[in-house]
């Protein structure tokens, strides 16, 4: 795959325009070497609105599991979270290359926010009744708004870069036609059909950029993913806090919830520490590396959200409102935490680890956290302690390596 450090035929990649939210501007690629590139207030607002949909998906997963429909809940969560994650990811990569921050760009981004809010409103129907029509409409609003952005970029760009923008617009449009044909008449998609369209969606970027990559900014992309990870982890803390508060108010019990609260906080704190332990932007040196890293975040972000749902499930089980065994409830925390740790290691931590001790720390910790489900009523606390020890071990090994 082409080296994304090259700007292709974009005539203005090194000529950034004024970005003040003013009148309509030429949508030309931003420079890859632009210094101090950071997320904008609009991008942060965009992320916060997307977390509304993540919270809805996590909440319905909790209800499905506590009602004894775990398989149904997991399937619904995967379908909905894919739509949320994919729409967010496509916007973030486009914005990294073409954020003009003029009126048209801002309005189109706000339309995408409307789309995710419509999608979020349809999540209960999707989970409870298998009716994905409203979520499909919200998803289409997000995706077709992005198509207009790609067409706008194509009007300005020339040569191979213009062809890349047009391929993006065409690919996204074709996929939306497929989703509408699948979801609007029937509501609940067959799993095989959903998987086929999901693969088609994920094939658009590598096919579109096969001859001329877009001018995404490595530092900016790394920051965008990091910020969304923080927000999702924060939503997990919020969901767990509300669950504990409700349990205490309704059942007047605290002793059984303190270990869950402590363990949950240790897990979330460790997840944040481990994710940001290395500067990943230096690894994003090509489309191949960046796409694999970006696609892998489906597991990182998805499990980060499930950790919060799992904490809610363990709280419900502890106060007797969920018909689950202690081990099964704990697994909803320990398993996603283990997957999170392993995926973070696989995506970027391993690229900066030196020696077998550093390389094995996170994979061994992931396995140990998963096995904590078998430790009884204090499984979440044990999982949190394992995560804390993992952080301490990683820090100690890093200090030793630099001495």
């Amino acid at each position: 795959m082409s080296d994304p450090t090259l700007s292709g035929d974009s005539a203005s990649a090194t000529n950034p325009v004024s970005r003040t939210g003013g009148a309509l501007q030429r949508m030309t690629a931003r420079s890859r070497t632009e210094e101090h590139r950071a997320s904008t207030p609009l991008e942060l607002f965009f992320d916060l609105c997307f977390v509304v949909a993540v919270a809805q998906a996590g909440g319905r997963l909790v209800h499905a599991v506590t009602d004894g429909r775990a398989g149904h809940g997991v399937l619904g969560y995967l379908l909905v979270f894919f739509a949320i994650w994919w729409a967010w990811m496509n916007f973030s990569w486009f914005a990294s290359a073409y954020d003009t921050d003029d009126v048209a760009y801002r309005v189109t981004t706000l339309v995408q926010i409307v789309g995710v809010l419509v999608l979020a409103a349809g999540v209960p129907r999707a989970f409870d009744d298998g009716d994905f029509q409203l979520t499909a409409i919200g998803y289409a609003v997000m995706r077709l708004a992005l198509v207009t952005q790609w067409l706008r970029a194509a009007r300005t760009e020339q040569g191979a870069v213009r062809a890349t923008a047009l391929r993006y617009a065409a690919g996204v449009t074709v996929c939306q036609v497929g989703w509408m044909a699948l979801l609007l008449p029937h509501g609940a998609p067959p799993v095989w059909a959903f998987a086929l369209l999901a693969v088609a969606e994920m094939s658009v970027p590598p096919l579109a950029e096969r001859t001329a990559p877009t001018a995404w900014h490595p530092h900016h992309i790394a920051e965008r993913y990091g910020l969304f990870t923080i927000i999702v982890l924060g939503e997990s803390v919020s969901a767990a806090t509300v669950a504990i508060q409700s349990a205490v108010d309704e059942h007047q019990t605290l002793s059984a919830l303190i270990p869950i609260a402590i363990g949950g906080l240790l897990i979330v704190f460790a997840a944040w520490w481990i994710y940001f332990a290395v500067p990943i932007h230096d690894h994003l040196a090509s489309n191949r590396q960046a796409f694999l890293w970006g696609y892998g975040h489906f597991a990182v972000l998805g499990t980060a959200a499930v950790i919060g749902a799992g904490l809610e499930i363990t709280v419900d089980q502890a106060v007797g409102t969920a018909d689950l065994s202690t081990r099964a409830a704990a697994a909803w925390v320990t398993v996603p935490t283990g997957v999170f740790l392993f995926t973070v290691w696989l995506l970027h931590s391993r690229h900066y680890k030196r020696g077998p001790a550093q390389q094995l720390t996170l994979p061994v910790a992931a396995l140990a956290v998963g096995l904590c489900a078998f430790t009884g009523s204090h499984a979440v606390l044990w999982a949190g302690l394992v995560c804390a020890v993992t952080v301490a071990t990683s820090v100690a090994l890093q200090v030793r390596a630099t001495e």
Side-chain angles (χ1 to χ4, degrees), residues 29-311:
R30 299 184 68 157
S31 172
R32 290 188 180 279
T33 60
E34 183 179 344
E35 295 183 356
H36 310 298
R37 180 70 190 277
S39 297
T40 66
L42 181 59
E43 287 176 317
L44 298 178
F45 183 46
F46 186 87
D47 292 354
L48 286 173
C49 294
F50 262 67
V51 171
V52 173
V54 174
Q56 284 281 355
R60 302 316 294 184
L61 175 61
V62 172
H63 287 299
V65 172
T66 55
D67 289 344
R69 300 179 297 130
H72 174 82
V74 170
L75 179 60
Y77 178 81
L78 290 175
L79 299 183
V80 170
F81 193 84
F82 173 83
I84 299 167
W85 163 77
W86 188 245
W88 176 87
M89 194 171 87
N90 277 237
F91 164 80
S92 297
W93 287 80
F94 177 87
S96 189
Y98 288 105
D99 180 7
T100 57
D101 197 30
D102 59 6
V103 170
Y105 179 87
R106 289 186 175 190
V107 170
T108 306
T109 301
L110 294 176
V111 170
Q112 290 178 273
I113 290 175
V114 172
V116 76
L117 296 178
V118 172
L119 185 151
V123 168
R125 290 185 180 185
F127 270 81
D128 299 340
D129 306 322
D131 181 359
F132 285 81
Q133 292 180 341
L134 191 56
T135 60
I137 293 171
Y139 184 70
V141 170
M142 291 186 287
R143 303 295 283 144
L144 294 177
L146 184 64
V147 168
T148 67
Q149 298 279 50
W150 281 115
L151 291 175
R152 186 181 169 198
R155 288 183 60 187
T156 303
E157 298 288 14
Q158 298 177 353
V161 177
R162 180 175 185 274
T164 295
L166 290 174
R167 281 194 292 267
Y168 263 114
V172 174
T173 301
V174 169
C175 288
Q176 291 320 295
V177 172
W179 286 119
M180 292 299 100
L182 177 67
L183 296 176
L184 288 185
H186 307 294
V191 175
W192 66 265
F194 179 91
L196 184 64
L197 279 171
V199 170
E201 286 270 25
M202 291 187 289
S203 299
V204 171
L207 290 176
E209 302 199 23
R210 67 181 186 273
T211 56
T214 53
W216 50 268
H217 194 290
H219 288 77
H220 179 249
I221 284 295
E223 183 188 39
R224 296 291 296 117
Y225 275 79
L227 289 172
F228 199 55
T229 300
I230 289 175
I231 293 174
V232 172
L233 288 173
E235 192 281 324
S236 291
V237 173
S238 175
T241 301
V242 171
I244 291 174
Q245 178 187 359
S246 299
V248 172
D249 291 343
E250 296 175 12
H251 302 277
Q252 299 298 315
T253 178
L254 188 59
S255 59
L257 302 179
I258 290 177
I260 296 175
I262 295 174
L265 283 176
L266 289 174
I267 288 171
V268 174
F269 291 168
W272 169 83
W273 192 301
I274 290 168
Y275 184 91
F276 292 98
V278 296
I280 191 57
H281 59 266
D282 289 334
H283 174 66
L284 306 181
S286 69
N287 269 12
R288 177 181 174 82
Q289 292 169 315
F291 284 174
L292 290 174
W293 178 84
Y295 284 18
H297 270 72
F298 178 78
V300 173
L301 296 168
T303 54
V306 173
I307 290 171
L311 291 171

